[in-house]
């Protein structure tokens, strides 16, 4: 029995006068990987940034409608609290440049002023790095700066950092677009493992990637959610002409 | 044709020679001032000079201990006031760039930077010395803190502007409150630029004399009470320099030497800080 | 790492609000301080403005004992000293600007001279004055003797020379900036037509940067007008209207420095503060205009 963890109702978002999301209705089931696809500028990034309320950090933006996290209206929650349930990984890896690998992983705790004992920290670091499939590669250099790692390793470090907060949902905005094929493969593998414990919402331009990793796919076009279904259905039997055009590569 | 080219080439060479010559000439005063201060200053420096008070006219020897202590206290308090104030204005300017307040604040910084230091001295005299009824080190510190603000504000703003937004977002997405994000992520990432601004600010006020004339005022004795008049290196240099006595000139040369040494040191440290603590993104 | 209890959330929200407001407040406070500075010196000048009125600007005698507060000698002293300093400094400022902004933009020479100019700006005014008393004053005295002028040594000329050295770094850094902003496509176009560097500088760089260089010079004038210590030590402190550029004189800043702590009587003190007001207003106007030109220049 699948339960819904995230649900938007007639959700719209604006940059100034420019409406970039138009009455989005979507339900995300727990422990699924949902791919968000669509041509450039259609509002994918905006959508997932609304889910953890990062959208409102940009000046002169507003939203209408609402999003529910489990039973809670996220716009009635404190954004700081919400973001601890909903982690985020960005398009470009962004480890903290002043911190070591070790410090990066537990940054969510130290920056929030939580005091952990050494064994707790060690365990958290090892556990999170293992989940992010990075432990074996960095276990001997935990105290070097995170920025020394390769791009793919940095991105997994960022995933570990998000996972250390023990979130329920992980938002990923084109997490592999800045990476080489080998790193990409590693991260895709990782996503598959993470599904057991987390719900993942992943933005991607790459149709093969969506097909390979996701359970469900949402297709956005010009700010509207055109089609949302099981990934297999979307790819083999799209209902909407625009979706069909997109997946067959008739427009980019 | 041939001659035309010759003339053009000739003009070209003359201009370049002129530019190089003038540039070299401009640096001569620097060399002259430094050499002269070193020559006159080194001979004045001794343990007595550092540890004693000035002697009355006619007696040789004596030192500027009072001014060393005074300068340290006055500059220290000025920095304590200016650093938090300046950094928070710099943060405001880089975080809320497009607001009206930011526009006016930037203008205010430019205006403040241009105010003659003697005018700052007058204003602080009216605000503090007159109100409290006495010259004081504290009033001197406040005057100097106003003078070092622009350099702190500008360096903070310019450094933080260069820090990618992605860093702030990384922190906020971990559920870190905004204020902690600024204090623990953004400021540490910009530490090299901020520090160099602070040091340049200190270098600038270390030699400021005019705003101290009617505030800290000077004091022939060692004083550590910040509500009382206090000596400082630039004041000692000024007062002894314009005196007619050779013994006092001697003290002034020694003080000038120490002051220049301190300023050179700060300038070098600034260059090092810019390199050494620069954070790679 | 979850927070659930409402008190903690309230605390977080409070901290958040408090911090943002605090940042805005500190910015606002700066504006308030600046405004208060202006109002303070304006109000403190009122007794003098009322008592002396407009003759403050044309009265030739400054004799506080007799209640004569004619500021003309100091107005003239300030203007002549500053403008002379400006005239001396301009050829040097433009040369060094070209040196650092066009001829040697990288490499050892560039770094060396750039640092030297920065150090020139770092030397305190009081030290320029002190060294000037011992090196420049005897030199000028000899010069005056050979010109059969009264050999004071100190005076407008001496002060102007030191002043010009002190303002060169400010104009250089601005002139260098604007010269470096000249689009290289423009310069390359001229070079490709066979122009020499001299011609590129004369026909491309100077016309293109004219307003920026002007602003740099204007801003250095703002500096010169308010410069106090070195001038006070070298100008000779005379209350008499100067008759030539070697004459001892006083600038507004040096009068304030010399007489402020000894000023007895409300009008006397207020008259000195009025000079401060004048300096404040003039330098602020110069600054705002200069910065505006530079800003417009950098955006274009
Ligand atoms: N900071 C901003 N200010 C104003 N408009 C913006 C801003 N960011 C995005 N937009 C606009 O919002 C629309 C949606 O942008 P969004 O970044 O969500 O698209 P996207 O689907 O993620 O595109 P991409 O595939 O290129 O990442 C675009 O039309 C874009 O121009
Ligand atoms: Mg995007």
């Amino acid at each position: 029995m699948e339960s819904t963890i995230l649900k938007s109702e007639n959700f719209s978002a604006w940059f100034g006068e420019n409406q970039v999301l138009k009455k989005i209705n979507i339900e995300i089931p727990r422990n699924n990987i949902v791919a968000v696809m669509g041509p450039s500028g259609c509002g994918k990034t905006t959508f997932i940034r609304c889910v953890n309320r990062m959208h409102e950090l940009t000046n002169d933006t507003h939203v209408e409608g609402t999003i529910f996290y489990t039973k809670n209206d996220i716009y009635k929650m404190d954004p700081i609290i919400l973001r601890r349930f909903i982690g985020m990984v960005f398009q470009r890896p962004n480890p903290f440049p002043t911190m070591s690998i070790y410090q990066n992983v537990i940054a969510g705790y130290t920056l929030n002023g939580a005091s952990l004992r050494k064994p707790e920290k060690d365990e958290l670091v090892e556990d999170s790095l293992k989940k992010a499939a990075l432990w074996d590669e960095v276990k001997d250099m935990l105290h070097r700066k995170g920025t020394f790692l390769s791009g793919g390793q940095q991105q997994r470090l960022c995933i570990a950092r998000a996972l250390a907060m023990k979130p329920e949902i992980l938002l990923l905005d084109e997490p592999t677009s800045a990476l080489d094929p080998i790193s990409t493969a590693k991260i895709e593998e990782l996503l598959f493992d993470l599904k057991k414990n987390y719900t993942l919402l992943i933005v991607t331009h790459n149709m093969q990637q969506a097909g390979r990793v996701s359970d469900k796919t949402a297709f956005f076009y010009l700010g509207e959610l055109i089609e949302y279904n099981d990934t297999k259905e979307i790819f083999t039997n799209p209902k909407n002409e625009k979706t069909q055009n997109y997946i067959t590569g008739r427009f980019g | 044709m041939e001659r035309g080219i010759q003339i053009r080439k000739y003009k070209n060479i003359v201009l370049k020679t002129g530019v190089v010559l003038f540039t070299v000439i401009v640096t001569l005063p620097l060399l002259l001032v430094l050499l002269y201060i070193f020559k006159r200053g080194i001979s004045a420096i001794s343990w007595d000079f550092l540890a004693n008070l000035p002697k009355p006219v006619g007696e040789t020897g004596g030192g500027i201990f009072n001014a060393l202590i005074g300068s340290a206290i006055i500059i220290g308090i000025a920095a304590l006031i200016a650093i938090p104030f300046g950094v928070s204005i710099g943060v405001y300017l880089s975080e809320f760039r497009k607001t009206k307040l930011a526009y006016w604040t930037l203008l205010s910084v430019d205006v403040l930077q241009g105010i003659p230091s003697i005018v700052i001295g007058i204003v602080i005299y009216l605000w503090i010395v007159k109100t409290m009824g006495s010259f004081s080190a504290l009033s001197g510190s406040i005057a100097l803190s106003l003078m070092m603000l622009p350099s702190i504000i500008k360096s903070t703003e310019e450094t933080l502007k260069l820090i990618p937004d992605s860093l702030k977002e990384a922190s906020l997405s971990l559920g870190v409150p905004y204020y902690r994000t600024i204090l623990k992520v953004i400021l540490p990432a910009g530490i090299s630029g901020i520090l160099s601004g602070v040091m340049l600010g200190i270098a600038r006020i270390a030699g400021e004399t005019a705003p101290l004339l009617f505030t800290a005022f000077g004091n022939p004795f060692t004083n550590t009470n910040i509500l009382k008049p206090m000596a400082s290196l630039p004041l000692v240099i000024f007062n002894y320099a314009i005196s007619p006595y050779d013994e006092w000139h001697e003290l002034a040369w020694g003080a000038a030497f120490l002051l220049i040494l301190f300023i050179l040191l700060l300038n070098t440290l600034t260059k090092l800080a810019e390199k050494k603590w620069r954070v790679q993104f | 790492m979850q927070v659930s209890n409402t008190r903690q959330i309230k605390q977080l929200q409070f901290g958040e609000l408090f911090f943002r407001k605090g940042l805005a407040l500190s910015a606002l406070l700066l504006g308030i301080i600046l405004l208060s500075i202006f109002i303070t010196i304006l109000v403190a000048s009122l007794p003098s403005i009322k008592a002396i009125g407009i003759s403050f600007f044309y009265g030739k005698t400054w004799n506080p004992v007799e209640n004569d507060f004619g500021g003309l000698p100091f107005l003239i002293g300030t203007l002549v000293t500053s403008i002379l300093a400006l005239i001396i400094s301009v050829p040097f400022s433009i040369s060094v600007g070209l040196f650092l902004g066009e001829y040697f933009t990288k490499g050892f020479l560039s770094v060396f001279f750039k640092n030297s100019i920065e150090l020139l700006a770092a030397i305190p005014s009081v030290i320029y004055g002190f060294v000037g008393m011992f090196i420049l004053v005897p030199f000028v005295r000899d010069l005056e003797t050979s010109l059969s002028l009264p050999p004071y040594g100190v005076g407008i000329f001496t002060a102007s020379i030191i002043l010009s050295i002190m303002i060169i770094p400010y104009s250089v850094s601005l002139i260098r900036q604007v010269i470096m902003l000249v689009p290289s496509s423009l310069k390359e176009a001229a070079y490709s037509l066979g122009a020499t560097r001299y011609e590129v500088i004369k026909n491309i760089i100077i016309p293109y940067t004219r307003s920026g260089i002007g602003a740099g010079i204007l801003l250095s004038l703002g500096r010169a007008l308010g410069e106090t210590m070195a001038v006070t030590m070298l100008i000779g402190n005379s209350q008499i209207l100067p008759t030539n550029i070697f004459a001892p004189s006083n600038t507004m800043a040096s009068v304030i420095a010399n007489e402020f702590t000894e000023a007895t009587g409300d009008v006397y003190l207020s008259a000195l503060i009025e000079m401060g007001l004048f300096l404040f207003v003039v330098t602020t106007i110069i600054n705002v205009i200069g910065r505006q030109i530079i800003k417009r220049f950098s955006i274009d």
Side-chain angles (χ1 to χ4, degrees):
Chain A
M1 184 59 219
E2 282 184 333
S3 67
T4 300
I5 189 166
L6 200 71
K7 181 176 163 196
S8 75
E9 280 179 1
N10 284 333
F11 188 82
S12 305
W14 283 262
F15 281 106
E17 299 289 293
N18 180 16
Q19 185 173 7
V20 294
L21 288 176
K22 294 169 187 158
K23 298 206 182 255
I24 307 292
N25 287 291
I26 192 170
E27 286 189 25
I28 313 278
R30 199 178 275 277
N31 294 357
N32 269 10
I33 300 183
V34 174
V36 176
M37 282 199 334
S40 195
C42 69
K44 307 178 295 289
T45 299
T46 308
F47 179 67
I48 69 162
R49 285 173 63 90
C50 284
V51 170
N52 69 348
R53 295 187 54 182
M54 298 283 279
H55 178 63
E56 66 200 49
L57 297 174
T58 310
N59 282 335
D60 195 23
T61 55
H62 72 283
V63 300
E64 263 174 29
T66 193
I67 300 176
F68 288 97
Y69 165 70
T70 62
K71 293 275 174 301
N72 304 309
D73 181 343
I74 65 166
Y75 285 91
K76 299 215 170 85
M77 295 172 75
D78 189 282
I80 294 167
I81 309 301
L82 176 73
R83 290 180 199 138
R84 295 185 191 171
F85 291 107
I86 304 181
M88 187 170 209
V89 176
F90 297 82
Q91 186 166 355
R92 301 203 154 270
N94 52 1
F96 294 116
T98 49
M99 299 183 189
S100 67
I101 295 172
Y102 186 98
Q103 289 167 329
N104 257 288
V105 176
I106 52 168
Y109 293 81
T110 45
L111 291 177
N112 274 309
S115 49
L116 298 180
R117 284 178 304 117
K118 179 89 164 79
E120 281 178 301
K121 286 197 231 169
D122 289 346
E123 193 190 323
L124 197 60
V125 169
E126 181 170 346
D127 191 48
S128 306
L129 285 173
K130 276 182 175 157
K131 278 190 194 144
L134 189 59
W135 174 251
D136 291 332
E137 291 161 57
V138 301
K139 63 172 186 273
D140 299 321
M141 49 177 199
L142 290 174
H143 296 286
R144 292 193 63 181
K145 289 257 181 308
T147 36
F148 278 116
L149 298 172
S150 74
Q153 288 173 323
Q154 287 190 17
Q155 193 60 300
R156 277 177 284 150
L157 178 59
C158 293
I159 294 177
R161 182 176 68 189
L163 293 179
M165 297 297 285
K166 308 203 167 74
E168 298 281 321
I169 301 177
L170 197 57
L171 308 170
L172 304 108
D173 189 1
E174 303 189 43
T176 60
S177 69
L179 305 180
D180 61 282
I182 294 171
S183 305
T184 301
K186 281 204 165 145
I187 289 189
E188 283 183 12
E189 238 172 79
L190 164 66
L191 297 180
F192 220 79
D193 288 338
L194 292 177
K195 197 174 102 163
K196 284 176 234 122
N197 300 310
Y198 306 90
T199 307
L200 305 182
L201 202 54
I202 173 172
V203 174
T204 177
H205 261 299
N206 181 325
M207 261 166 291
Q208 281 81 21
Q209 186 168 62
R212 275 195 304 267
V213 302
S214 67
D215 302 302
K216 284 175 160 288
T217 295
F219 176 67
F220 280 66
Y221 184 69
L222 293 179
E224 286 178 76
L225 176 59
I226 302 293
E227 196 166 347
Y228 175 51
N229 212 334
D230 288 347
T231 299
K232 211 194 252 162
E233 278 293 305
I234 293 266
F235 277 89
T236 54
N237 190 14
K239 302 278 185 303
N240 190 297
E241 201 187 338
K242 289 185 187 123
T243 320
Q244 169 131 31
N245 286 344
Y246 186 70
I247 60 172
T248 53
R250 248 167 277 165
F251 61 82
Chain B
M1 190 66 199
E2 210 28 37
R3 259 196 78 210
I5 291 177
Q6 280 306 322
I7 290 174
R8 288 172 59 201
K9 276 192 176 160
Y10 178 71
K11 281 183 180 169
N12 200 28
I13 290 171
V14 168
L15 180 67
K16 183 164 180 178
T17 316
V19 161
V20 172
L21 195 70
F22 272 44
T23 304
V24 173
I25 293 176
V26 168
T27 50
L28 288 184
L30 176 71
L31 209 66
L32 211 61
V33 169
L34 291 183
L35 285 179
Y36 199 76
I37 296 264
F38 277 47
K39 183 177 141 243
R40 304 286 307 246
I42 282 185
S43 60
I45 304 283
S46 65
W47 176 248
D48 273 354
F49 178 77
L50 297 175
N52 287 343
L53 289 180
K55 292 238 170 84
V57 181
E59 295 177 37
T60 49
I64 53 155
F65 180 71
N66 55 341
L68 288 175
I69 294 290
S71 268
I73 293 175
I74 293 172
I75 293 171
I77 294 176
L80 279 183
I81 299 170
I83 292 171
F85 189 30
V87 169
S88 64
I89 295 174
V91 171
Y92 180 84
L93 288 177
S94 89
E95 286 291 306
F96 304 94
R97 251 165 264 177
K98 297 240 169 74
T99 61
K100 263 214 178 87
L101 180 57
Y103 174 83
W104 287 108
T105 306
L106 265 177
L107 194 72
S108 306
V109 175
D110 282 343
V111 170
L112 180 62
Q113 197 164 25
I115 298 180
S117 55
I118 188 101
V119 174
I120 302 270
I122 294 179
V123 171
I124 300 299
Y125 171 86
L126 294 171
W127 282 352
I128 299 179
V129 177
K130 240 180 128 185
T131 322
M132 305 212 316
S134 153
F135 296 112
S136 63
L138 182 65
S139 60
S141 295
I142 293 175
L144 293 186
S145 73
L146 283 179
M147 312 240 26
M148 74 184 289
L149 271 182
S151 120
I152 298 181
I153 296 174
K154 287 213 159 148
S155 63
T156 305
E157 188 225 349
E158 274 158 24
T159 314
L160 298 191
K161 251 195 331 215
L162 297 178
I163 294 178
D165 267 350
S166 63
L167 209 59
K168 188 162 80 184
E169 300 201 325
S171 172
L172 291 172
S173 76
L174 291 170
V176 179
Y178 179 74
Y179 71 95
R180 283 183 166 274
T181 301
I182 298 294
L183 295 176
K184 307 241 155 157
V185 177
I186 303 298
L187 287 181
I191 194 71
S192 81
I194 296 173
L195 269 182
S196 72
V198 167
M199 286 194 286
L200 277 184
I202 292 180
R204 180 175 172 208
I205 62 164
E208 273 296 345
T209 321
L212 295 183
L213 291 173
F214 340 128
T215 54
F217 193 70
N219 190 333
F221 303 104
T222 308
N223 165 34
T224 51
N225 179 350
I226 59 168
L227 299 179
K228 291 270 158 61
M230 199 180 272
S232 90
L233 278 181
L235 281 177
V236 160
I237 298 171
F238 177 61
N239 288 327
Y240 291 170
I242 59 172
S243 79
Y245 312 112
D246 282 344
E247 295 87 0
W248 279 6
H249 289 161
E250 201 61 18
L251 287 183
W253 288 121
F257 175 71
L258 288 183
L259 184 59
I260 283 284
L261 218 53
F262 181 65
I263 288 170
L264 288 181
L265 186 75
L266 276 176
N267 273 276
T268 317
L269 280 180
T270 307
K271 296 264 182 261
L272 286 182
E274 276 168 4
K275 282 209 189 76
K276 182 136 182 134
W277 290 312
R278 164 145 302 152
V279 175
Q280 292 294 328
F281 300 111
Chain C
M1 155 138 207
Q2 305 305 350
V3 185
S4 41
N5 93 42
T6 40
R7 226 192 80 223
Q8 265 175 310
I9 295 178
K10 281 265 147 58
Q11 262 176 10
L12 266 178
Q13 287 169 340
F14 179 75
E16 203 77 339
L17 195 71
F18 188 75
F19 186 72
R20 278 170 204 265
K21 293 270 182 252
L23 290 181
L25 201 68
S26 61
L28 195 64
L29 191 58
L30 184 73
I32 294 175
I33 290 178
L34 216 61
L35 214 62
S36 321
I37 289 179
F38 176 65
I39 293 171
T40 306
I41 41 179
L42 182 66
V43 169
S45 303
L46 285 180
S48 149
I49 294 174
K50 273 192 207 124
I52 308 167
I54 194 85
S55 73
F56 185 70
F57 293 102
Y58 65 75
K60 285 188 198 154
T61 11
W62 178 265
N63 188 351
V65 185
E66 302 285 323
N67 264 325
D68 277 340
F69 296 103
L72 188 66
F74 313 135
L75 189 65
I76 300 286
T78 307
L79 287 180
V80 174
T81 314
S82 302
I83 289 173
L84 193 56
L86 212 59
I87 293 173
I88 300 171
S89 74
V90 165
F92 290 99
S93 302
I94 295 180
S95 295
V96 183
L98 282 172
F99 185 98
L100 295 174
E102 169 64 18
Y103 283 98
F104 299 93
T105 50
K106 283 190 213 63
F108 171 76
L109 280 182
S110 170
V111 174
F112 175 80
F113 282 103
K114 196 159 159 275
N115 285 342
S116 303
I117 300 289
E118 275 171 23
L119 280 186
L120 214 51
I123 294 177
S125 177
V126 68
I127 288 188
Y128 276 116
F130 193 18
V131 175
M133 283 168 64
F134 283 77
I135 298 184
L136 196 59
V137 168
F139 175 81
V140 174
R141 199 175 284 141
D142 291 347
L143 184 71
E144 284 166 341
T145 314
S146 65
L147 292 173
S148 47
L149 288 161
Y152 295 114
V154 291
I156 292 179
F157 182 70
T158 316
S160 297
I161 289 184
I162 288 288
L163 204 48
S164 71
I165 296 172
M166 296 177 67
I167 60 177
I168 283 174
Y170 294 99
S171 39
V172 163
S173 80
L174 290 161
I175 291 173
R176 175 183 152 266
Q177 270 175 38
V178 294
I179 287 179
M180 289 186 101
L181 284 175
V182 178
S184 51
S185 59
L186 277 184
K187 291 189 273 182
E188 274 156 20
Y191 281 127
S192 73
L193 295 173
T196 61
R197 193 165 223 162
Y198 166 80
E199 285 152 354
V200 169
I201 289 172
K202 181 170 163 239
N203 300 319
I204 310 283
I205 296 182
I206 296 294
Y208 188 90
T209 54
R210 188 170 287 145
S211 67
I213 291 180
I217 292 169
L218 185 68
L219 286 170
S220 69
L221 174 66
R223 281 265 151 196
L225 291 172
E227 190 48 63
T228 312
M229 296 320 292
V231 175
T232 306
M233 294 162 90
L234 296 173
I235 201 162
N237 301 316
S238 153
Q239 323 293 55
I240 299 163
L241 202 62
T243 49
N244 64 59
I245 59 164
F246 288 96
S249 176
N250 244 333
T251 65
M252 295 190 159
S254 70
V255 173
I256 301 172
N258 278 323
E259 304 187 8
F260 195 82
T261 49
E262 289 149 24
T264 45
D266 289 345
V267 177
Y268 188 7
L269 193 70
S270 177
L272 292 174
I273 296 174
E274 191 182 343
M275 285 188 220
L277 176 68
F278 180 80
L279 286 179
F280 176 85
V281 172
V282 172
T283 51
T284 299
I285 292 172
I286 286 181
N287 244 287
V288 171
I289 294 175
R291 303 268 167 195
Q292 228 55 39
I293 297 173
I294 297 266
K295 222 169 264 170
R296 196 164 317 146
F297 190 89
S298 337
I299 293 165
D300 285 349

